[in-house]
Amino acid sequence: MTGAPLFERMALIGIGLIGSSLAQVARQRGLVKEISISTRSPATLQRAEELGLGDHYSLDAAVAVEGADLVVLCVPVGANEAVAKWIAPALKPGAILTDAGSTKESVVEQVSPHVPDGVHFIPGHPIAGTEHSGPDAGFPTLFDQRWCILTPGEGVDAVALEKLKAFWQGCGSDVDLMEPKHHDLVLAIVSHLPHLIAYNIVGTADDLATVTKSQVIKYSASGFRDFTRLAASDPTMWRDVCLNNKEAILEMLARFSEDLSAMQRAIRWGDGQMLFDLFTRTRGIRRSIIEAGQETDAPDFGRHVAGNPVSSND
Ligand code: NAP
């Protein structure tokens, strides 16, 4: 990006995969003039400083947001409310407050009541991630060609919204606007349910007494391995996602269980046509994802090229 930075000072609260990637891309593409970083633990803050991710570092989130015209909450969704309470009195009038959380209704409910008048709260969710966490996991191209969903409330300031959109576009993303409830339903099926299925399959395989763990690992390339990538995702983040998108996840799990029962019946009664038709339909969906540029056609999901992390949808 050329020209003046969009923001004078960006404050990142939380400096894991998302915060670190934002710091790197914002710096590299000149989107912000200064970066102020805060996180919960001294060890993570020290690591962020060693990596040179920011200009100012503080364990006090309220100090970090002082003077910032863009504040991004990059903590697990279950921590947003406490952080919002903490920083609220220190937010600069006119600042944009946003977040990267994977659920949106809960963030609106938990953060909105604490946002002072004159601060523009526009929740967000970059649909980009990997199974890694912490400041070392970040990389500046994480958001390239990925979607970022913003869920602005009614009466949002149009100028602030345009500025935040321009910021995410500068990070490489396409921006979509959505209602928080609709976001949570969509993400329940495209992200939350797949992660839960992966956690479940990997847990089941681990529990099986008749197949040894060494065999599960040895023959993992037959399908199991692809689930283990999702099942290696951060436990805190995913616990919080489950607890904060309860309704939509339960709805999708119920639907999934019904469809699984139908498949079970087809296998039991030898209904090969049903199975063949389903597998043909699903193969087409993968083709559409590749055509939409959200995945490569490379084997192994194209994610394991050494030294060249590729983002997936979170
Ligand atoms: P991460 O790598 O695990 O980093 C989390 C950061 O939040 C760390 O700086 C951590 O601090 C801090 N933190 C953790 N618990 C906290 C608490 N209770 N109070 C205050 N700070 C706390 O996480 P991430 O992957 O960057 O995820 C950040 C947010 O982005 C989450 O809301 C997640 O839902 C969302 N998101 C994640 C992905 C993904 O694929 N990972 C994709 C899109 C959106 P310390 O290390 O100092 O303890």
Side-chain angles (χ1 to χ4, degrees), residues 12-21 37-45 59 73-80 82-83 86 99-104 107 124-138 142-143 191-192 195 229 233-241 312-314:
L12 296 170
I13 311 301
I15 193 75
L17 169 74
I18 299 294
S20 166
S21 299
I37 292 174
S38 179
T39 187
R40 181 179 55 169
S41 72
T44 303
L45 195 66
L59 285 171
L73 308 182
C74 306
V75 296
V77 287
N80 272 322
V83 171
W86 187 359
D99 76 306
S102 305
T103 65
K104 293 275 62 82
V107 172
H125 178 201
I127 313 297
T130 75
E131 68 276 32
H132 302 295
S133 42
D136 286 280
L142 176 68
F143 309 107
S191 170
H192 307 168
H195 278 82
R229 188 191 70 80
S233 300
D234 189 68
T236 305
M237 168 182 159
W238 284 97
R239 176 204 63 197
D240 282 11
V241 167
S312 64
N313 295 337
D314 105 89

Side-chain angles (χ1 to χ4, degrees), residues 98-119:
T98 187
D99 76 306
S102 305
T103 65
K104 293 275 62 82
E105 255 205 317
S106 70
V107 172
V108 171
E109 275 168 25
Q110 292 162 19
V111 173
S112 299
H114 307 289
V115 180
D117 287 345
V119 169

Side-chain angles (χ1 to χ4, degrees), residues 26-207:
R27 169 86 79 219
Q28 205 179 72
R29 301 184 191 169
L31 303 173
V32 303
K33 206 158 148 190
E34 282 184 351
I35 301 173
S36 169
I37 292 174
S38 179
T39 187
R40 181 179 55 169
S41 72
T44 303
L45 195 66
Q46 190 188 332
R47 187 61 193 142
E49 196 162 359
E50 282 163 8
L51 292 169
L53 295 175
D55 304 291
H56 311 276
Y57 302 89
S58 177
L59 285 171
D60 187 335
V63 169
V65 304
E66 269 171 25
D69 46 357
L70 175 65
V71 177
V72 192
L73 308 182
C74 306
V75 296
V77 287
N80 272 322
E81 182 164 27
V83 171
K85 267 190 205 165
W86 187 359
I87 62 172
L91 289 169
K92 179 176 145 168
I96 295 175
L97 171 65
T98 187
D99 76 306
S102 305
T103 65
K104 293 275 62 82
E105 255 205 317
S106 70
V107 172
V108 171
E109 275 168 25
Q110 292 162 19
V111 173
S112 299
H114 307 289
V115 180
D117 287 345
V119 169
H120 309 294
F121 176 46
I122 307 174
H125 178 201
I127 313 297
T130 75
E131 68 276 32
H132 302 295
S133 42
D136 286 280
F139 55 101
T141 53
L142 176 68
F143 309 107
D144 276 348
Q145 292 171 44
R146 293 287 175 252
W147 286 97
C148 178
I149 299 175
L150 300 179
T151 63
E154 265 177 40
V156 67
D157 183 271
V159 176
L161 179 59
E162 281 312 308
K163 218 171 159 189
L164 188 59
K165 275 167 81 176
F167 173 77
W168 278 108
Q169 285 160 351
C171 292
S173 296
D174 289 318
V175 177
D176 246 353
L177 303 185
M178 236 179 240
E179 290 284 326
K181 196 178 173 66
H182 188 68
H183 164 279
D184 288 359
L185 198 65
V186 172
L187 268 292
I189 185 69
V190 298
S191 170
H192 307 168
L193 188 63
H195 278 82
L196 290 181
I197 293 169
Y199 280 124
N200 201 48
I201 289 179
V202 176
T204 304
D206 193 44
D207 290 342

